[in-house]
Amino acid sequence: MGDFRSWLEDTRNFIHFSLLLVVPLLIGLVTWLANTIDLLPFLLFPPLVSGAFTLFREPESQYASPRRFVGGMTMGAVCGWVALAVSARYWYRVPPETFQINPGAAAFGVLLTGIVTWALDLEESQAFSTALLVLVSGVTQFVYVVSVFASSLVVVGVFVVWRREIYEQRADYLYQTTHADDQVLVPMRGETADTVATFGAQLAAAHETGKLVLFGVVNEGEHATDDAVDTDGGAELRRVTPTEGAATGSSADGRVSTDAADLPAAARETAESLEAHAESLRDRFDIPCEVVVVAGEPDDARIAVEAATETNCDLVVTPYQTADGELTRFIRGLFDSTLDVVVLRSNGERTSWRRLLVPIKHYGEVAHAMLDFAERLAGEMSYVSVCHSIDSEGDRRTAEAMVADLVEPFERAIETRVTTSPLESFLSEHADNYDLTILGSSTDRTVVSRIIDAPTFEQLKELDCDIAIVHRG
C-alpha cells in the first residue's frame, strides 16, 4: 500500500488511475439513465466516452471547461439539426425524417459547427461528432439535442466534483508529508545548532499539531548515574543505549516526574542551555517545545533515532557536518533509518528564510516533500521558485508539464523555471539570490551512479545561501 500510494503521488499516474476508475463507472451511469428514460441514443456514447477522457486526462487544460464541453456538444447537435433540415428542405426537398446520409449535409453540418463554436468560443472536438450523429441517430432532432445536453451535463457534473474535491486536493490525500513531519526532533550539534533549531521550529509551527524536541547527548563519562534526574529548567537526563528506550523530555510547561538531583557540571550546562533555547522558541513560534538529554555516544545516530521514536517524532532536522570530505557517520546513520531527515547547511546568520529555490530533478515523493517544506517555511511576503534542468529544447514541453503538475496542488503562487543549463551551473549562478536552496539527498541512487555523478549538494560547496538536504525515510 505504501508503494501504491507513492506511485499515485505522480500526477500522471493519479490521472490515469482516475480514468480507469471513474470513466467506466460514469458511462455506466449514463447508460443506465438512458435505458431508464428511453431518451439517449446509443450512438451518442462514443463522443461521450472520448469527451470524458479528454476532460479527465487534462483537467487543467483550456478544453477541460464545463462550459465548453456542454455548450460545444449541444451546439454541435443544434448545428447538425439545422444542417439536416436545411439540406432536406432546400437541396433535396424531402422531409428531414426521411433524409438519408448525404455528403453535402455532413459537410454543411461540420462547417456550421466550426463557425458557431468558434464564434461562441465553444470549440470542442466532440461537437463535430454530435453534429454528424444527428444524421443517423434515428430520433427526432429535438429529442436528440435534449439528449446531448442532458448526457453532457451528467458527465461534466461528475468531472467538476472530481476536479474540485479530489484532483485539486490530492496533496491532502496523497502527499505523505502534508499531514506528517510535524513532530520535529533537532539534535543540538555543532556551531549552527541554534539556527537549525529555529529552522525545525518553523517547519513544526506550520502544522496545528506541530511539536519541537531539542535533543542533546552527554558523553557517558560525564554522567555517572543510571537514574533519571532533572534540572531546574525541567530537562530530563537519563542514561540510554541504542537498544534501550530513549529519554523522554520535559513537557511544554516544564513539568517532569522525577525528583531533583545534582548533575555533573557538563550535563547541567547542556540541559539548562537547551531549556533556555526551548523557552525562546516556545514564545516565538507558539508550539510545544520539549528538551531531551541522554547519556551516550554523541556520534551514534541510533540514540537519536530511539529518542525520536520515544517522543513520537517523524522528522529529524540536523546540522550539516562532514568528516574527510564526506557526511559524518551521524548523518549517514540518520539516512539509514526509517525517519524523514532534513540536513541544514547554514552559516548561522539567518533565522528566517523568505526566498526559497527548489531544484527538481524528477517527479516523486522527495520532490513533493521539498515543496511542502518550502511552503511551510515561506511566509506571506515570501516567494518560492522551482527550477528544472533539461538537456535540449525538445524536452521543454514535457518538463513544463511536469513542473506544473508538481506545483499545482499547493495553495501559494510558485514560480517555475525550466532551463537548458546544467543544474549545477544554474544554481551556482542564481542560488546566491535566494536565502535557501532545498535539494534532494540522492540516497536512492546506486553506488555506481554516485561515483559517476556526485550528489548535487556535494558539488555546491561554494554557494553563499543556506542549503537544506531532504531525505525521505
Side-chain angles (χ1 to χ4, degrees):
M1 288 303 297
D3 291 341
F4 177 65
R5 182 173 178 174
S6 298
W7 180 81
L8 275 183
E9 285 195 31
D10 187 319
T11 298
R12 296 294 98 186
N13 293 337
F14 178 76
I15 288 177
H16 279 100
F17 181 76
S18 297
L19 282 169
L20 296 176
L21 184 66
V22 177
V23 174
L25 294 176
L26 178 57
I27 297 304
L29 172 63
V30 174
T31 304
W32 177 80
L33 291 174
N35 292 335
T36 301
I37 60 179
D38 195 22
L39 178 66
L40 181 65
F42 179 77
L43 287 175
L44 187 55
F45 288 178
L48 279 180
V49 175
S50 57
F53 181 88
T54 301
L55 287 176
F56 285 89
R57 181 63 179 84
E58 299 292 342
E60 297 298 331
S61 72
Q62 62 173 328
Y63 295 105
S65 164
R67 171 184 171 274
R68 184 186 297 272
F69 183 79
V70 176
M73 290 189 67
T74 304
M75 291 308 301
V78 171
C79 290
W81 177 10
V82 171
L84 177 59
V86 170
S87 299
R89 187 171 304 275
Y90 296 104
W91 294 350
Y92 301 96
R93 299 189 181 281
V94 294
E97 57 270 17
T98 63
F99 183 72
Q100 300 299 313
I101 301 176
N102 183 274
F108 182 52
V110 171
L111 174 62
L112 187 60
T113 300
I115 294 174
V116 172
T117 55
W118 181 21
L120 298 177
D121 192 24
L122 293 175
E123 290 179 295
E124 166 66 39
S125 59
Q126 313 313 317
F128 299 97
S129 297
T130 57
L132 292 175
L133 286 176
V134 71
L135 305 179
V136 293
S137 63
V139 297
T140 63
Q141 288 78 16
F142 176 76
V143 171
Y144 178 78
V145 172
V146 172
S147 299
V148 171
F149 175 77
S151 58
S152 61
L153 203 60
V154 171
V155 170
V156 86
V158 173
F159 167 73
V160 168
V161 172
W162 172 84
R163 184 173 64 179
R164 183 180 64 242
E165 302 298 333
I166 298 178
Y167 177 76
E168 293 180 353
Q169 307 299 324
R170 65 189 183 277
D172 293 336
Y173 301 135
L174 299 176
Y175 298 175
Q176 299 178 43
T177 60
T178 304
H179 298 290
D181 288 348
D182 55 351
Q183 314 284 313
V184 183
L185 181 132
V186 179
M188 301 297 284
R189 302 165 54 87
E191 298 178 355
T192 63
D194 290 352
T195 298
V196 175
T198 302
F199 184 91
Q202 196 164 338
L203 289 178
H207 284 183
E208 293 182 358
T209 58
K211 178 185 74 172
L212 183 69
V213 177
L214 302 185
F215 174 70
V217 179
V218 178
N219 196 302
E220 287 189 294
E222 299 174 347
H223 182 52
T225 178
D226 290 335
D227 299 327
V229 293
D230 71 343
T231 69
D232 294 339
E236 187 176 333
L237 180 66
R238 170 180 306 178
R239 178 181 296 277
V240 173
T241 65
T243 58
E244 298 174 348
T248 56
S250 63
S251 62
D253 58 8
R255 293 178 297 176
V256 293
S257 59
T258 55
D259 296 330
D262 292 333
L263 286 174
R268 173 174 289 276
E269 181 180 352
T270 298
E272 290 182 344
S273 174
L274 294 187
E275 185 60 40
H277 196 60
E279 184 65 29
S280 173
L281 294 175
R282 289 188 200 112
D283 294 339
R284 177 178 174 182
F285 294 100
D286 191 26
I287 57 172
C289 188
E290 303 177 7
V291 171
V292 173
V293 181
V294 302
E297 168 57 43
D299 291 330
D300 193 342
R302 293 175 297 172
I303 298 179
V305 173
E306 290 285 346
T309 302
E310 291 295 327
T311 54
N312 296 319
C313 291
D314 49 8
L315 174 66
V316 176
V317 177
T318 189
Y320 178 87
Q321 294 176 316
T322 59
D324 299 327
E326 296 183 352
L327 294 176
T328 61
R329 177 169 65 95
F330 179 80
I331 295 178
R332 286 186 279 113
L334 291 178
F335 283 172
D336 289 337
S337 73
T338 59
L339 296 171
D340 290 348
V341 180
V342 175
V343 180
L344 180 65
R345 194 196 78 176
S346 171
N347 57 15
E349 296 179 357
R350 292 188 179 92
T351 58
S352 63
W353 296 264
R354 300 304 182 195
R355 298 170 298 164
L356 293 91
L357 178 63
V358 186
I360 301 295
K361 281 194 171 183
H362 52 78
Y363 210 102
E365 56 183 343
V366 174
H368 296 145
M370 293 160 62
L371 283 170
D372 180 41
F373 293 150
E375 187 175 45
R376 294 196 212 178
L377 292 167
E380 295 181 357
M381 303 302 294
S382 307
Y383 68 88
V384 178
S385 178
V386 173
C387 68
H388 176 69
S389 176
I390 57 176
D391 295 328
S392 65
E393 283 294 332
D395 300 326
R396 182 171 295 278
R397 288 186 180 274
T398 302
E400 289 177 344
M402 181 203 71
V403 174
D405 287 340
L406 276 172
V407 304
E408 191 272 333
F410 296 92
E411 294 182 0
R412 72 177 299 111
I414 299 178
E415 177 192 26
T416 60
R417 305 179 68 175
V418 176
T419 176
T420 54
S421 301
L423 185 59
E424 292 75 16
S425 301
F426 179 85
L427 294 179
S428 298
E429 182 177 352
H430 297 283
D432 293 351
N433 298 322
Y434 296 86
D435 298 330
L436 177 70
T437 298
I438 303 178
L439 302 171
S441 63
S442 302
T443 49
D444 57 345
R445 293 169 54 189
T446 64
V447 175
V448 175
S449 172
R450 293 171 65 85
I451 292 176
I452 296 175
D453 184 16
T456 302
F457 69 87
E458 293 183 358
Q459 304 178 45
L460 303 175
K461 299 179 181 179
E462 305 302 323
L463 293 188
D464 290 337
C465 71
D466 292 351
I467 295 178
I469 305 165
V470 176
H471 166 77
R472 292 282 286 145

